[in-house]
Amino acid sequence: MTHHVSSLQQGLDQVLANPPEQTAQAKTSGLLDRPVTSFLRMDWEVAIWIAIFVIGAVARFVMLDVRAMSHDESLHSLYSYYLYANGNYDHNPMMHGPFRYHVTAFLYFLFGASDFTARMGPALFGLGVIGMVYLLRVYIGRLGAIMAGIMVTISPTLLFHSRYIRDDIFMAFFTLVWIYGAFRYLDTRRMRYLVVMVAGMAFGFATMENHFIHGAIIGSFFAGLALWQVVGHRWLAGVAAPLLIAGGVWWVLHEQQQDLYGMIALAAGVAIALVPLVLGLRGRWHELRNTDAADLAVIMLTLVLPFTAAFLHVFTGGDPTVFTNATDYTNQSMIVRLTIFVAACVLASIGIGAYWFWRREDRVAAAVLPHGRDSEGGVAEAGVGVGRWRPGIAHWALLMGFFWLVQVLFFTTFFTNTVQGLATGVVGSLGYWLAQQGVKRGNQPVYYYALIGWLYEFLPAFLSLCGIATILNNLSRRAGDLPWQPVVDADLPPASRSVDLHARPASDSGSEKSQGERLALHRVYFVVFMVWWTVAAWLGYSVAGEKMPWLLTHMALPMCVLGGWWLGNMLRHIDWRAAWRNRTWALVFAVPALLILLLVMLVATSANTGIEANPARRILQWLLILAATGAVLFFGAFGVVRGGFKQGLRLLAVGLVGVLFVLTVRTSFALNFINYDMATEFLVYAHAGPDVKRALAEIDTISERTVGDRNIVVAYDDESSWPMSWYMREYPNARFYGENPSPEAMAAPVVIVGPKNRPKVEPYMARDYVKRTYRLVWWPEMEYFNLTPDRIWGALTDPAQRDRLFNIIAFRKYRDPADLTKWRDLAQWPFRHEFDMYVRRDLAAQIWDLNVVPLASQVISNIPVIAPEQMRTIDATQVYNADYGGMLLAAPRAIAVGPNQDRVIADTGNHRIVVLDATGNYLRSFGSFCNLTDQTKTPCLDPDGDGPLTPGDGQFYEPWGVAVDAQGNIYVADTWNGRIQVFDAQGKFLRKWGAFAVAQGDAGDPNALFGPRGLTIDLDGNLVVADTGNKRIVRYRPSGESIDQVGGGGVIAGRFEEPTDVSVDPTDGSLLVADAWNGRVQRFGSDLQFQSEFAVPGWLGRDIFQKPYLAVAADGVIYTTDPATSQVVAFERDGKVKLAFGGTGAALNQMGVPNGIAVDLAGSSLLVADASNNRVLVFPEQGN
Amino acid sequence: MMAESTTALPVIAGEERASALTVEHVLYTVILLIAFGVRFLALAAQPLAPFEAAQAWPAWLAATGGPVANAPSPQSALLYGAQSWLFFIAGGNDLLARLAPALLGVALVGLPWFWRTWIGRVPALVVAAIFALDPWLSAVGRTADGTGLALFFGLLALTALWQWRLQSDVPLGQRSWLRWERTLAVSTALLLASGVQAWSFLPVLLFFFLCFVWPLSARDRETGLRATSLIWFGVALVLGVSGLLARPEAVSAVGASLTGWLAQFSGGAGVGWPALRLVVDQPLLAIFGPLGLIGLFAKRRSGASLRLPLFLSLWLGWGIVLAALAGESPFLLPMIGLPLAIAAACAVGEFASFSMGDVGWLELVVLLAVAVVLLGSGVIWLATLVENSSYDTRLLATAAILLLLTLTMWIAFGFWAGWPVAAKVAGLFFATVLFLVTVRSNWQLNQGGAMMLPSGFFATTTLPEVRLLVSDINTLSIARRGDPHEAEVQVVTTGNTAGAPDPVLGWYLRDMRNLRWTRAPETELPAGSMDQSVLGSAHRPLIVAPLGLEGDRALAGYLGSDYGVTSRWNPVLLPALPEQTENSANGLPAAELQRLRDQQAWTQATRPRLKWLLYRTVQQPPAVQNVTLWATP
């Protein structure tokens, strides 16, 4: 050994006698020394695959974050973010399985949360799909795999959804893993491939519910294969035909909402199918149980069976729509019910599994080779399998455990959401989507996928049709004979090449086959499976109620694989040397040449060319085109004859495929890198418009220039919340106001609102904000609904319609259907949801140098100030704070003066009304506490026993308003009971109306009162109520019948924020309203039409007691209270400050919290309810 | 034994070279590509920090021939020379300012290739991977500062010293000293020219010499040191400190760097700062570094040399002393990180040596799957706990139980498979987990920074708003003078900076042709008169003044707009635990009082700290230094 070591090395060894790694790294170092070429054999195939991967990676990662999040993307991104940032994720079937959320959260953990990282998962799995196609070389040939790989790489649908955070590309990957594992198991019968297959199943079911469709496709294939192997194709046809027919009948009836008859038809079909099944299997059951394909089908069935508990729920009369809301089926009773169903399914699964795999155990155990490896000797394909490994019950249990471990792990969010996660995962995931099939989200027609599929996936569609035709043709010709080779031997990886298939005859069962023969047979199975996969995917997704463009992924994938196989196979069969020799290679260019000539012809005959004016030129052009076409046709035919018919056809097909390939690249590039967020593309569905990122950039600019970073306050509503909720996570001061604009939210410098909430928000915004409207989410044009032959024919025969169609297909340009001479205005795209962004005018004026147009020209009046010379020191001439009826006043909030100068005081703290005479002597009091909504603690009194009055009549819960009419009747705002009560002058209860409620919308229910406060009697004797919480003024007749109302939330004229009081101007009958939080007094005519407004200094207090009131003197002077500054301010009629007096304190010239105010017109005095000092002060009126 | 050595050691100079591209080559290539990506991705996204601008601005002034009085002087002669050449050739921008450190930062990652004979091949590979994604090295490599250069040339000198020493093991006649001797000479010379942290690295070279060279016999130390090597050293030094002779004034930077090195020890922060940064940024090194050192020392029992652990310990000790003496300087952290990285790599290399023959695939898969589940579940509970505004002991208990379960599982595995295997598998598993955490830390530090997401690594950072200021000045200039760079701009300096111009403003306003620096008046002035004193003329230029300078003395006839220029934040500013007084009981039972106090501590301090530790989010924006742009309407 040492003779290999140089002296230099010996020296090194001495010095480095003990390098740290030396002890036990020989093995690792051996790996490091291993030439890369021992892992990666570099040849043209590898080089092409590397190129495909590089192109695939670039196509999937470049500009990954340039597109704004679509509606669904933002949901998925944000809930992944919650899992990452808060550990908060509860599986909800509405948003599909949990796997993708975990993957995305992990990527956030590594690289932070952004649009790019949110889409990294799909991009990586998109690359994984290409990788899986590479593994299919053993079934579709090396050239076929390359062709399929290229198509997967450039497929518009697959590429688009590899850049889109939805589940579909994950599903494509896991479906391929599932298929690969199953077929490789057939080839090798090794446990590892069962694990691979179950991994594809497990992670797929944890990702999205359409794995049930894939399961049905794959499972039914292997079940059919097993039957075919045992009973032959005739019996199989006898079983399948009634099932397919019954399925078709069911679907037709289901579409006509005749579900009962549909189910009967389905049951009949199943019953009929059972007959040939039983007859065919008679005496062959043992064979079936020893069939690998049957093993696979049983494994698939038993693993998934517990998921079908939702079916049991429906079949036992349960409401399928219960699964639309997780809270409806995660209550205790439902959990018990569903647990029983799940347990039944699990038991059934265990029973089937045990029955199927148990009895093999002892025999299999003896045959198992070390480490589960099988011998490579020839054995029967579908035969008894003696000497070869087959799964036993322990293996089945292991697979079952693995499958359900993955489900439980992800659905329970790593055991952090156990009960609900299991319920929503095991039962809800399938149940919800069963319920949704009836909803038919998107409501697309049955031909939807056919339409958009051909629009985007024309290359794989064409190739897969060719593939289907080829396979059917070969199968029909070779039925019962040795199957043909779907892949020529030379196109297979060396390890997978077969021996000479024709050297010795073999059949499908009973006789021995070599490994190569088995693989060859499995390739036939595989291409048949591809046909079944493609057809069944189209049928399944077309029949399913919900049709969405992203589901096209699951049709594009099998078409790419099948089309790739066909193309590779076709290319392999071309004799290129012969084509070069006899020059028929030129046929490749025939189809492109013809297509170009066709295009020239179309352009030449177009109505827009203006050539009609020159007939000679037109004729010449026609002649030239015809001559060229004739020449191409002639030489094409000549080439076909010379090179042979098949060879010629293949060369022509290459040309056609080349054209389609170029067009596909163009389509894919336009979709993914130009029109990625334009609804002109049919795959851009319910997607955020480009305006979203523009608006966000503008917000960033405003924020940077005003408050720095992203600290600006942005308010957004429920209509714009997707995708805004995702983006607003970066704005720490963002405010979500749902559908109820609050004053706080409406004070934000940037406000975002959707169309539904526009009417609510505009009153706040119109004055001080500028607005711009953006496209939030939009949909493609959907004029393909209700297609009839007449419509199609009309579109094809009408030149204008044809032109429109051509522009859509070729350029995604849309003419306006109303005027075909014009293009659709994308800003006015009819299928869109908008949002408005309001920016406060002062900010916009400074920095928002866009063409913004103010909504209104109103300018807020300058807020006046109280000049020092306007301040007065006025002492109260009288104070009402004595013992009245056995009690002192407690926080009196309102006061009114009756016709005989009686003082009617709302003794709010004592929940009663106190009446004094003009000199302040106590006359009477009435009322006590009663909270109508909580009578357990404060039982209300029934004033007349069995009489007509009800408990609580004549009682109050904090009365904040009183008014007295000309007859001396007293009206009381029973504020927190939300009603008006009327008493006669002696305090006898007369009537009541109103209930504590939110008025729904502007001009809502007049009987709904939300904390009514100030009252006044207008000159017509009607009662006017400040319905503070409902932000309105309501007028009633004395009887309680409503007359009219004005208001609603907002800052514009005629709207209010916290209107606390209303008072009538005796000079002209107009009404003045204390619009407290807008800091102003508004004047309305007697018809409640807005007349004018003026700003009030103060009124800044927002707490529950700081409610200002107002009163108008005989000369029109307006007196207001300001509880926050403990002042009374008097205004001229035009709003100019006349004077102010008061100040915080308890002296005669001071006040605590002044609320109610009234003018004694006869006595020329001013009465102020000083609530916190528990008194009423009487001041001399400060008139002119 | 010999055979093992042969396979363990790489092919080195003088031996026949492997002709094939090996896995090792590919792995190093991938690591270098990752290092390149990490250092160059969005390299110019963040504006230059003040200390970067202080280095780049004088270089730009030198390149364009526009001296400014009192402009900051550079502390890295080498970077100054490189930048001035780059700016001269390609114009000034943020990317070019950071180009040299970024390139050398990538090159640094390749140095472990030459350490394979020193620490072993697998550890060398792991060191390279750690270097590539090391948050601190990445940050330094993305910073226009001399530290990145110093680290590279320091490690290059170390490498050359090792290779030079390695020749002593070769028979005399076959030694090839010259290449590495010259490399040592040049790298040492350039190290001296590379700035402040060069002085931190010199003792490390001395430690290496003492550990690896000094013990050799005189014969073995026969180096044949040639005079030409000294010439190489001298020439490299002269060229390095003079910007290839084009910037002789840069020589002063060598002295300035020594002054700067000493100056950074003015306010010692103790070991708290480096310990915190180590835990936050480098959990892999924090745990596996000491483990590696212990492991290396433990090998003494099997007859291994103590030189390597001794050297690493000395280096680490020196780094800790430096970091403890300095006032929260991020530039000294690599002096701790580098020896820990080497030690950690040795530990990981040891763990990686386990053979699959020791454990079955199935049990390994099950074990790792359960470990991932427990860890994942624990992380989710922890995230929930941190997100909770109230302190919930149940969540903590759940997370703790999961942790205990993890430990129990590994212990059970130890009984099952034997302790050595269990230790190695566990070591590899946790090394992988911590490596992923380090990747995340790297991202947070180098790519994820924002005002409300401060990393706190560099306490003072420049805000992107400064570019807005420049953009607005350009816009105003276009409007008034028809050219974005023609308007007259006066930047007011204050007494706080001793009248020295702000390097950030200097760097970003460097293209303004009529830029003037004006010192603010020290005395109070009557309202409205500042413009006269500042301007001293009838001109109405644009004025950039620190916020608050004008106070009540707004410039008459001017309108102002504020811009944040720099922000300052470091983890010290995280909320402190509330003080608890004994007399605040208010008659509450002791348990209830304690619960309330715990709740208060959680809300006010613990939770914000955890949120920063995990997500780098803060609740209060950092302090911002503003300037006002004044312009006449």
Side-chain angles (χ1 to χ4, degrees), chain A residues 12-13 15-16 18 20-22 24-25 32-34 36 39 84-87 109 111 409 414 704-705 709, chain B residues 2 5 9 12 21-24 26 117 120-121 169 299 303 349 353 377 384 440 443 451 465 468 472 615:
Chain A
L12 283 175
D13 287 338
V15 174
L16 305 171
N18 293 295
E21 86 294 0
Q22 201 171 355
Q25 288 181 14
L32 294 179
D33 280 332
R34 204 165 150 186
V36 180
F39 295 98
Y84 154 69
N86 311 345
F109 168 80
F111 305 117
L409 198 62
F414 281 61
E704 277 183 13
R705 287 173 176 270
D709 207 33
Chain B
M2 190 60 71
S5 302
L9 290 169
I12 62 166
L21 185 70
T22 64
V23 172
E24 192 175 25
V26 172
T117 49
R121 296 177 69 178
D169 305 321
K299 279 180 180 260
S353 66
S377 191
T384 312
R440 164 187 166 77
W443 197 263
M451 185 183 258
E465 264 187 83
L468 210 59
D472 287 353
Y615 302 110

